[in-house]
Amino acid sequence: MRTIRPTSEVMKSFETSVENYVAALNTLDMEDLLQKENEEEWSIGQMYMHLIQSALFMHLRNSEHCLSNNENTVHADAEKTELGRTLFEAGQFPPIRVKVPASPQYTPQPPESKQQLVEGLQQVVQQMRRVASVLDEVSVSTSRKVSHPRFGALNAEEWFVLIDMHFKHHFLQLDRLKGNLGN
C-alpha cells in the first residue's frame, strides 16, 4: 500500500502546480477565461474558481476539522470507499474526465478578474503552508476523519494531499479548454 508523501514534498509539488496555473493565466485574457463551449461546460475561469474554492472551503477546512476533532468528524476507524482506496494507492486521480451536471450548488461563478484568481491561488498556498506546519507537529494517525462524498473517510493528511492531486488532475481540463479557445 502506498504511503502518504511528506508534507514538504506535497507543498513543493503543489507550489509547482500553482506556478503553472499562474503562468497559464498570464497567457489568457478575460475573454478567454469566460469563454464556454456550451452551457454544460465550465469556462477556464470557472475551473480556476472551482480549484480555489474546493481547496479553501472543502479540503483545507476538512483537514482542519480532522485536526480539531470537532463535530464534523467521524471516528478514526472509519474507512475509505473502494474509489478512495484506489485513488490514494495510486497517489493520483485517474486520467479521465469527470463530468458533473451543471447545478447552482456546484457550478462555480465566473471570476471577476485575473487578479482575483491569482490572489485566490496565493491564498490557497498560504493556507496550505499553515496547515502543513500543523501536520508536521501532530500525529495524524490519532486524528479523526471527515467523510468525502465519493472517497469515504479521510484524515487530515489525506485531505491535504487531495488538494495537490486535485490541482494536478485539472491540468487535463485546462489543456482541453485552452484547445477550445477561439472555436
Side-chain angles (χ1 to χ4, degrees):
M1 173 175 267
R2 185 181 176 95
T3 58
I4 297 290
R5 298 175 291 157
T7 54
S8 60
E9 184 181 317
V10 174
M11 280 305 305
K12 183 176 180 179
S13 173
F14 178 73
E15 288 174 344
T16 298
S17 291
V18 169
E19 289 169 9
N20 290 331
Y21 276 110
V22 171
L25 263 179
N26 290 332
T27 68
L28 303 167
D29 59 28
M30 276 308 291
E31 185 177 323
D32 295 333
L33 290 174
L34 300 176
Q35 181 178 320
K36 293 172 65 168
E37 192 172 341
N38 60 57
E39 283 308 307
E40 290 296 312
E41 297 287 331
W42 288 353
S43 67
I44 293 173
Q46 286 175 294
M47 184 206 70
Y48 273 79
M49 294 294 288
H50 164 74
L51 288 170
I52 294 164
Q53 291 169 348
S54 61
L56 292 174
F57 303 115
M58 181 181 186
H59 302 124
L60 285 165
R61 184 174 288 162
N62 285 334
S63 186
E64 292 168 340
H65 287 318
C66 292
L67 293 168
S68 65
N69 289 324
N70 67 27
E71 68 279 355
N72 296 301
T73 62
V74 295
H75 193 271
D77 292 337
E79 299 283 331
K80 290 181 198 70
T81 63
E82 182 62 34
L83 179 60
R85 282 190 294 280
T86 301
L87 177 84
F88 280 93
E89 286 171 7
Q92 64 184 7
F93 283 81
I96 58 171
R97 186 173 175 189
V98 178
K99 188 152 172 54
V100 178
S103 72
Q105 300 84 9
Y106 191 72
T107 303
Q109 292 297 310
E112 296 173 10
S113 66
K114 286 173 64 170
Q115 187 63 28
Q116 178 189 18
L117 299 176
V118 171
E119 289 172 2
L121 291 169
Q122 291 169 342
Q123 184 181 5
V124 175
V125 170
Q126 291 168 351
Q127 292 283 35
M128 290 276 291
R129 287 180 183 148
R130 189 180 58 71
V131 171
S133 68
V134 174
L135 287 172
D136 288 339
E137 302 278 324
V138 300
S139 172
V140 175
S141 62
T142 61
S143 76
R144 293 175 59 95
K145 298 178 181 181
V146 173
S147 290
H148 184 282
R150 297 197 58 212
F151 306 140
L154 305 179
N155 67 30
E157 193 172 33
E158 291 163 334
W159 279 106
F160 182 81
V161 170
L162 188 61
I163 300 166
D164 185 46
M165 291 193 292
H166 187 227
F167 269 65
K168 281 187 170 63
H169 176 72
H170 276 280
F171 280 126
L172 296 171
Q173 183 181 17
L174 178 60
D175 289 343
R176 182 178 54 77
L177 292 173
K178 282 174 63 175
N180 292 337
L181 291 176
N183 293 340

